[in-house]
Structure formats: structure tokens, C-alpha cells
């Protein structure tokens, strides 16, 4: 198991979240790929999106349902600053995760997180576990709590 996957496991355990990390046979790099590998709808896949504050350069984590798009205006209202996509190299350096394997848990930095309220309608959602083919299932409210994510309307 890679260091980043092990970090996710440890962070989940520290947050009181008991997860079963699964290594899939093929990539779960995209929400569509993950849905196929997990045998669920794409709506049940949690995308972990990292955006950067235009004024502070601070990174923010947004947990969004697979087919949905982050509404940058709604997100900016929550963060108090305009946002732009963070550079993948910067994301990896700061969070310890490469794009496609960014988890809601186990970041190298303390990161302010938000979870879209649309995820809360499901019994189980699936999130990346630190690698492009590692995932774990969780109840969405439990996941949001473990990630210290504020539940809000952040998609369009």
C-alpha cells in the first residue's frame, strides 16, 4: 500500500471512521471510471476538487457528486475569496495527493473543506483513497464529518 493510501487509512481511523479501502482492477481516475469499478451510479462518486484562493493562495477542498460541477460563485461566497483551479504540482506538494487520487481525508496540510448537500441523499458514496485505483465507501454525512467538511449548496 502506498504512503498516501496508508495516510488516508490512518486519517480515517483517527477521525473515528472505519473504512475498507479497496484496490480496483482498473483506474478510478475519473468519476465515470470509479462508478464502473465500484458498481454504482456516477452520482455516488465523490469528486475531491482542490481550488486555490485568488487573494490568499490558500487551498480549499470541495467534495462534489460525480456529474455535478462546482459553482465558483457559491464557493467564493463560502470561502470569502475568488477561486481558481490549483496547479496539479502544487496540489501534490501541499496535500500529498496526485490528481485522480485526491482523498477527502489524509491531507498533508490542514485544508478547509466543503461537501455538496446533494451527496447527502445517498446511503453510501465512494471516495478516492489516495491512489488512482484505491477507493472506499462511506455514509456521506459520516464522511463529511470525518473530513471536517461544511455541508452546503456548492454545485450548479
Amino acid at each position: 500500500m502506498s504512503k498516501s493510501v496508508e495516510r488516508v487509512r490512518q486519517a480515517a481511523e483517527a477521525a473515528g471512521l472505519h473504512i475498507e479501502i479497496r484496490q480496483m482492477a482498473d483506474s478510478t481516475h475519473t468519476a465515470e471510471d470509479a462508478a464502473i469499478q465500484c458498481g454504482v451510479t456516477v452520482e455516488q462518486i465523490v469528486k475531491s476538487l482542490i481550488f486555490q484562493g485568488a487573494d490568499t493562495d490558500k487551498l480549499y477542498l470541495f467534495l462534489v457528486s460525480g456529474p455535478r460541477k462546482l459553482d465558483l460563485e457559491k464557493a467564493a461566497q463560502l470561502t470569502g475569496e475568488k477561486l481558481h483551479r490549483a496547479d496539479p504540482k502544487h496540489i501534490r506538494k501541499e496535500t500529498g495527493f496526485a490528481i485522480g487520487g485526491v482523498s477527502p481525508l489524509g491531507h498533508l496540510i490542514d485544508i478547509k473543506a466543503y461537501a455538496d448537500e446533494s451527496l447527502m441523499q445517498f446511503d453510501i458514496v465512494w471516495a478516492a483513497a489516495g491512489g488512482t485505483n484505491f477507493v472506499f465507501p462511506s455514509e456521506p454525512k459520516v464522511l463529511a464529518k470525518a473530513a471536517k467538511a461544511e455541508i452546503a449548496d456548492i454545485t450548479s
Side-chain angles (χ1 to χ4, degrees), residues 9-23:
R9 188 194 62 73
Q10 290 175 1
E13 189 174 291
L17 177 61
H18 304 288
I19 61 173
E20 178 189 340
I21 295 176
R22 299 182 191 173
Q23 182 175 9

Side-chain angles (χ1 to χ4, degrees), residues 132-147:
T132 58
N133 64 334
F134 289 90
V135 293
F136 67 92
S138 177
E139 295 175 32
K141 288 181 183 172
V142 174
L143 177 62
K145 183 178 179 184

Side-chain angles (χ1 to χ4, degrees), residues 4 8-9 11 26-27 44 54 60 62 68 95 129 132 140 144 153:
S4 58
V8 171
R9 188 194 62 73
D26 290 315
S27 174
Q44 290 174 271
Y60 298 93
F62 298 93
R68 293 188 174 245
T95 69
T132 58
D153 174 15

Side-chain angles (χ1 to χ4, degrees), residues 28 30-32 34-36 38 40-47 64-67 119 122 125-127:
T28 56
T30 67
E32 292 79 11
I36 291 166
C38 298
V40 297
T41 67
V42 72
E43 289 82 9
Q44 290 174 271
I45 301 301
V46 178
K47 295 188 298 191
V64 177
S65 175
L119 288 168
F122 301 104
V125 294
W126 290 76

